[in-house]
């Protein structure tokens, strides 16, 4: 059974720092991995999607990498801002019927001004 | 530019009521999903649908049913609401399994349901 783990569970950094969020998964037979952002009381916003054949994806200050063989992904946030404060979730889409997403528990990020 | 719309942001219902949560997507996605999210338990899949009139149970289907009469609409039904169904409910959609490699999930903004 696929398990997704995110480390750290919570992170507090001063504004302007570069930071890395980690995601690991136990079964490498995935179609893709998706990073989401969730603000308190809101839905999930997709940040980046990495296909299983890709190594990384970039969007603005965000860069996500994928090492499928080792079951790891990282989300790099450059020059963090208070507006980046949110919960970040990673999820893998795997090859079961219905292609369900399996989520990690998330990393709660606080960027202090 | 809203792509997955959940009809209500907040709902308060009484125990025993029949509750309908509606979700509409405008991306012509085949797959639609209902999750609930609770502190400490993360997101849990309730039901999903891969085609009109098709449905599959997720991890926690007890106490829920679903309806998908049209491709763009997926409804979650609480047959007799109970207090333990107080939660955040999230709807999502995605392209079909054959396009899984390049297709992500799109989520709605969520419905916070309180059952009193």
């Amino acid at each position: 059974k696929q398990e997704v783990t995110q480390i750290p569970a919570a992170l507090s950094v001063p504004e302007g720092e570069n930071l890395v969020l980690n995601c690991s998964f136990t079964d490498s037979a995935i179609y893709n991995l998706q990073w989401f952002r969730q603000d308190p009381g809101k839905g999930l916003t997709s940040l980046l999607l990495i296909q299983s054949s890709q190594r990384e994806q970039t969007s603005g200050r965000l860069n996500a990498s994928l090492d499928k063989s080792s079951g790891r992904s990282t989300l790099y946030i450059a020059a963090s801002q208070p507006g980046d404060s949110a919960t970040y979730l990673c999820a893998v889409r795997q090859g079961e019927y219905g292609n369900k997403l399996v989520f990690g528990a998330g990393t709660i990020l606080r960027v202090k001004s | 530019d809203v792509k997955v719309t959940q009809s209500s942001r907040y709902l308060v219902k009484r125990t025993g009521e029949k509750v309908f949560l509606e979700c509409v997507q405008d991306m012509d996605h085949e797959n639609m999903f209902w999750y609930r999210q609770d502190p400490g338990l993360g997101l849990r899949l309730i039901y999903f649908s891969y085609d009109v009139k098709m449905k599959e149970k997720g991890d926690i289907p007890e106490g829920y049913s679903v309806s998908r009469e049209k491709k763009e609409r997926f409804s979650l039904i609480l047959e007799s609401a109970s207090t333990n169904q107080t939660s955040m409910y999230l709807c999502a959609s995605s392209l079909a399994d054959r396009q899984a490699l390049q297709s992500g999930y799109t989520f709605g903004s969520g419905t916070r349901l309180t059952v009193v």
Side-chain angles (χ1 to χ4, degrees), chain A residues 77-99:
Chain A
I77 302 176
S80 59
Q81 303 170 357
D84 294 331
S85 299
T87 297
Y88 291 80
L89 296 156
C90 75
V92 296
R93 185 170 181 176
Q94 56 184 51
E96 294 179 355
Y97 179 66
N99 278 284

Side-chain angles (χ1 to χ4, degrees), chain A residues 6-59:
Chain A
Q6 291 188 244
I7 294 173
L11 184 62
S12 182
V13 300
E15 182 177 6
E17 255 195 33
N18 302 324
L19 56 99
V20 175
L21 307 182
N22 296 291
C23 172
S24 62
F25 47 95
T26 55
D27 185 349
S28 62
I30 64 171
Y31 283 117
N32 57 48
L33 183 145
Q34 202 167 355
W35 282 93
F36 294 92
R37 169 188 172 135
Q38 186 175 31
D39 294 294
K42 302 289 181 62
L44 276 65
T45 299
S46 180
L47 298 173
L48 289 164
L49 172 76
I50 311 177
Q51 297 179 26
S52 61
S53 58
Q54 297 175 330
R55 298 285 293 182
E56 65 177 335
Q57 284 287 331
T58 298
S59 176

Side-chain angles (χ1 to χ4, degrees), chain B residues 40-110:
Chain B
L41 296 176
L43 283 98
R44 293 179 290 170
L45 181 64
I46 304 171
Y47 266 98
F48 66 97
S49 168
Y50 54 89
D51 201 353
V52 175
K53 296 191 184 296
M54 306 303 289
K55 61 185 179 183
E56 292 288 338
K57 293 180 180 179
D59 301 317
I60 51 163
E62 296 79 18
Y64 303 94
S65 62
V66 290
S67 172
R68 193 164 181 205
E69 296 296 318
K70 294 184 178 181
K71 188 176 185 180
E72 67 270 20
R73 185 180 297 271
F74 193 36
S75 302
L76 180 69
I77 303 156
L78 285 65
E79 297 290 343
S80 177
S82 63
T83 54
N84 63 12
Q85 293 178 309
T86 292
S87 186
M88 169 70 94
Y89 290 87
L90 293 163
C91 175
S93 70
S94 76
L95 288 170
D97 297 353
R98 62 185 179 278
Q99 296 162 291
L101 185 65
Q102 69 270 34
S103 171
Y105 280 40
T106 302
F107 279 81
S109 56

